[in-house]
Amino acid sequence: LSVALSGTVLSRCPACARNFANLYCNNICSPDQSLFTNVTRVVNRTTALGKPQLAVVEYQCFYRQDFAD
């Protein structure tokens, strides 16, 4: 999912776009991910340099009510 594409789709509603970006950034960049994220599916992949690694393809997020509000 491209954040730029999502921003384009959500551009009609600036509040929606900000909320989406906030959720995305928390899911990807938060140092506290382990407190609210449960990885449910990973796959093996190979990097461009040929190194094997795991990639997360599915996860669940659990947010407190005050964050959701």
Side-chain angles (χ1 to χ4, degrees), residues 4-62:
L5 178 60
S6 300
T8 301
V9 172
L10 295 170
S11 65
R12 295 182 199 143
C13 176
C16 294
R18 280 191 305 274
N19 287 338
F20 179 84
N22 187 35
L23 281 172
Y24 183 83
C25 290
N26 272 290
N27 287 345
I28 303 303
C29 302
S30 173
D32 299 321
Q33 285 177 334
S34 65
L35 301 176
F36 60 85
T37 303
N38 178 38
V39 174
T40 56
R41 190 166 69 132
V42 296
V43 295
N44 291 311
R45 68 176 294 267
T46 304
T47 68
L49 299 175
K51 182 179 175 187
Q53 68 177 191
L54 292 175
V56 173
V57 293
E58 187 175 285
Y59 61 93
Q60 297 171 312
C61 285
F62 304 93

